[in-house]
């Protein structure tokens, strides 16, 4: 399928209604809106954005939005990503959606800039929405200086990270204030902020076998994909410091190593490195690397913990689904913060680790939490209140409102 044919709509549609039903979706009709959801190829258990997309699509079904998954499956080569981008555009034309929604993170497309060419390939009658899951730190190509990007972004001709996606979108969605500010600075536009929701529901129940069957000591918990930027090296060093005075202390590292950002071979090497570090620090018997767990087992493991800890090397914000999950479980949690955190809904709901990449700072924050039951209760209550404002039903309702505002009377004419 050629570029010109796509723009001209030269795509064999077949029956659009049947195309949606073939995906196991409810029949289109009534006041439903149809959204083609374009996203990266990784499965949900290997990628946080894919997990978000899966949960969002499920939640949208409860508010009258029928969704179709349109993955962009590149093979790592330039030709492969170009073919994947063209194929995704062709599928959108075939589906005849009311709205096209692109979920964007550079890691989701293995840092290929080619999905940024999608907008001119898409049907012009369907408003384009782009959600930015990562923003403000990347460019494609990386060697172009800022002075070249700035006028292009201000004129809404090109965006250094998303190509034509941000400039051509009728609406840009962000999950946090930091990304909103960055988009505003670059484009003078006003993105729509729709905060994340916890990525694991509270299932309650006891800890699963092997994750804390003996409540003879205190338990710390880390949750999320395990990656070098998550600060686990420093956390292991902090555990070694704490164990000197708390010999029964344990750490659960809950989450898989293999991810879109850390392929299998690199993930295996990183896990071996951390296990060797734990052995060298003399805490191997106190640390459990669970690997990827089903949602119910994650919930049970979090309930087995006394204190949560997220010592990310870049800091943690409310855009972390892992943090929201820990707060939703009433787990008092210590986090590192970004260089310029600014006002945050997390104020008073988390304990702050005063320095990043610093085992002593992590150990000090955790010791204060472990020693102060009243502080733990206060943080647990505040964390639950914060997480209560982050629900998938709320995320879905905000998206439905956005889609309604974009489709408007054109939607009514199409479905009359």
């Amino acid at each position: 399928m050629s570029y010109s044919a796509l723009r001209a709509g030269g795509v064999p549609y077949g029956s659009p209604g049947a195309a949606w039903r073939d995906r196991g979706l409810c029949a289109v009709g009534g006041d439903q809106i149809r959204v083609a959801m374009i996203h990266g190829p990784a499965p949900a258990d290997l990628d946080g954005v894919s997990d978000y997309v899966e949960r969002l699509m499920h939640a949208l079904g409860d508010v009258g939005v029928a969704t179709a998954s349109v993955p962009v499956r590149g093979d790592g080569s330039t030709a492969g990503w170009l073919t994947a981008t063209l194929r995704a555009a062709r599928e959108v034309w075939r589906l005849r959606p009311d709205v096209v929604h692109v979920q964007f993170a550079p890691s989701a497309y293995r840092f290929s800039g080619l999905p940024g060419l999608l907008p001119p390939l898409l049907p012009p009658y369907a408003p384009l929405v782009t959600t930015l899951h990562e923003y403000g730190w990347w460019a494609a190509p990386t060697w172009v200086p800022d002075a070249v990007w700035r006028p292009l972004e201000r004129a809404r001709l090109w965006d250094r990270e998303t190509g034509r996606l941000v400039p051509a979108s009728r609406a840009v969605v962000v999950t946090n204030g930091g990304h909103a500010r960055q988009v505003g600075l670059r484009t003078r536009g006003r993105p729509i902020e729709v905060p994340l929701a916890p990525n694991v529901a509270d299932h309650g129940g006891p800890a699963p076998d092997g994750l804390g069957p003996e409540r003879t000591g205190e338990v710390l918990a880390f949750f999320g994909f395990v990656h070098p930027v998550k600060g686990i090296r420093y956390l292991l060093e902090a555990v070694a410091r704490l164990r000197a005075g708390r010999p029964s202390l344990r750490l659960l590292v809950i989450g898989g190593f293999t991810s879109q950002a850390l392929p299998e071979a690199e993930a295996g090497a990183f896990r071996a490195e951390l296990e060797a570090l734990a052995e060298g620090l003399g805490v191997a018997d106190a640390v459990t690397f669970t690997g990827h767990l089903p949602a119910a087992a994650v919930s049970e493991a979090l309930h087995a913990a006394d204190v949560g800890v997220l010592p990310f090397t870049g800091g943690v914000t409310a855009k972390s689904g892992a943090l929201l999950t820990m707060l939703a479980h009433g787990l008092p949690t210590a986090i590192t913060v970004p260089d310029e955190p600014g006002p945050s809904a997390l104020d008073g709901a988390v304990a702050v680790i005063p320095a990043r990449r610093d085992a002593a700072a992590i150990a000090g924050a955790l010791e204060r939490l472990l020693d102060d039951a009243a502080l733990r209760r206060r943080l647990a209550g505040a964390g639950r209140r914060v997480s209560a404002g982050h629900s998938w039903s709320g995320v879905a309702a905000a998206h439905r409102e956005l889609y309604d505002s974009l489709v408007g009377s054109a939607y009514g004419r199409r479905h009359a």
Side-chain angles (χ1 to χ4, degrees):
M1 178 58 58
S2 70
Y3 182 100
S4 59
L6 280 165
R7 294 197 65 183
V11 179
Y13 292 117
S15 167
W20 291 86
R21 286 192 295 272
D22 286 346
R23 297 172 179 275
L25 298 168
C26 50
V28 176
D31 64 349
Q32 281 191 328
I33 290 179
R34 299 176 301 182
V35 177
M37 197 73 70
I38 301 178
H39 56 89
D45 62 345
L46 296 182
D47 180 56
V49 176
S50 295
D51 180 74
Y52 169 92
V53 172
E54 185 176 282
R55 295 175 188 279
L56 174 62
M57 291 175 68
H58 178 78
L60 286 173
D62 294 332
V63 294
V65 177
T67 52
S69 170
V70 183
V72 183
R73 303 184 187 279
D75 63 4
S77 67
T78 298
W81 281 110
L82 179 58
T83 299
T85 300
L86 292 169
R87 187 182 299 119
R90 177 179 181 177
E91 178 66 358
V92 171
W93 276 95
R94 188 177 76 88
L95 288 166
R96 289 184 176 178
D98 300 301
V99 176
V100 180
H101 194 153
V102 178
Q103 304 287 338
F104 181 83
S107 60
Y109 306 102
R110 292 297 178 93
F111 299 94
S112 169
L114 290 171
L117 301 178
L118 272 167
L121 303 175
L122 297 172
Y125 60 78
L128 175 63
V129 177
T130 297
T131 293
L132 301 174
H133 294 274
E134 300 171 18
Y135 198 71
W137 64 277
W138 183 65
T142 57
W143 48 265
V144 176
D146 283 354
V148 174
W149 290 123
R150 290 193 195 103
L152 294 174
E153 290 166 339
R154 289 293 175 90
R156 299 186 67 82
L157 296 174
W158 198 263
D159 175 63
R160 71 187 74 183
E161 299 190 51
T162 71
R164 282 292 298 160
L165 287 172
V166 164
S169 290
R170 288 276 300 278
V172 174
V173 177
V174 294
T175 63
N176 62 94
H179 289 170
R181 288 189 292 274
Q182 189 67 46
V183 173
L185 287 172
R186 288 185 182 177
T187 70
R188 298 193 178 106
R190 291 187 177 181
I192 297 163
E193 188 172 343
V194 181
L196 296 177
N199 49 26
V200 173
D202 187 347
H203 289 72
D209 291 342
L211 298 185
E214 300 176 5
R215 294 295 295 166
T216 57
E218 298 154 316
V219 178
L220 306 174
F222 167 93
F223 170 54
F225 285 110
V226 185
H227 186 279
V229 302
K230 300 297 182 69
I232 304 297
R233 296 184 182 96
Y234 309 103
L235 178 55
L236 294 178
E237 293 174 5
V239 169
R241 288 170 176 263
L242 291 168
R243 289 263 290 182
R246 307 176 114 93
S248 60
L249 182 73
R250 296 185 57 198
L251 169 65
L252 301 179
V253 179
I254 308 163
F257 281 73
T258 302
S259 67
Q260 185 79 338
L262 200 67
E264 188 171 359
E266 296 174 38
F270 185 52
R271 177 164 186 158
E273 176 189 329
L274 292 182
E275 289 173 341
L277 177 59
E279 186 72 35
L281 291 168
V283 297
D285 63 328
V287 179
T288 300
F289 295 101
T290 72
H292 176 74
L293 294 177
V298 170
S299 180
E300 292 164 353
L302 293 176
H303 279 299
D306 299 287
V307 168
V309 54
L310 296 175
F312 296 1
T313 59
V316 183
T317 69
K319 86 178 191 74
S320 168
L323 174 61
L324 293 173
T325 295
M326 296 168 94
L327 298 184
H329 281 74
L331 185 62
T333 301
I335 67 169
T336 50
V337 294
D339 286 325
E340 299 178 4
S344 171
L346 298 175
D347 291 344
V350 293
V352 173
I353 299 169
R356 290 167 291 172
R357 298 183 177 86
D358 189 323
I362 296 170
L366 293 175
E367 189 152 43
R368 284 191 295 276
L369 269 179
L370 291 168
D371 285 342
D372 192 335
L375 175 59
R376 293 199 303 276
R377 286 193 296 271
R378 191 160 61 248
L379 290 181
R384 284 190 185 278
R385 288 191 292 274
V386 167
S387 68
H390 295 254
S391 67
W392 284 106
S393 60
V395 171
H399 280 77
R400 175 65 200 238
E401 182 179 356
L402 169 60
Y403 298 151
D404 284 341
S405 72
L406 294 176
V407 174
S409 59
Y411 172 79
R413 288 194 298 271
R414 176 179 290 198
H415 294 274

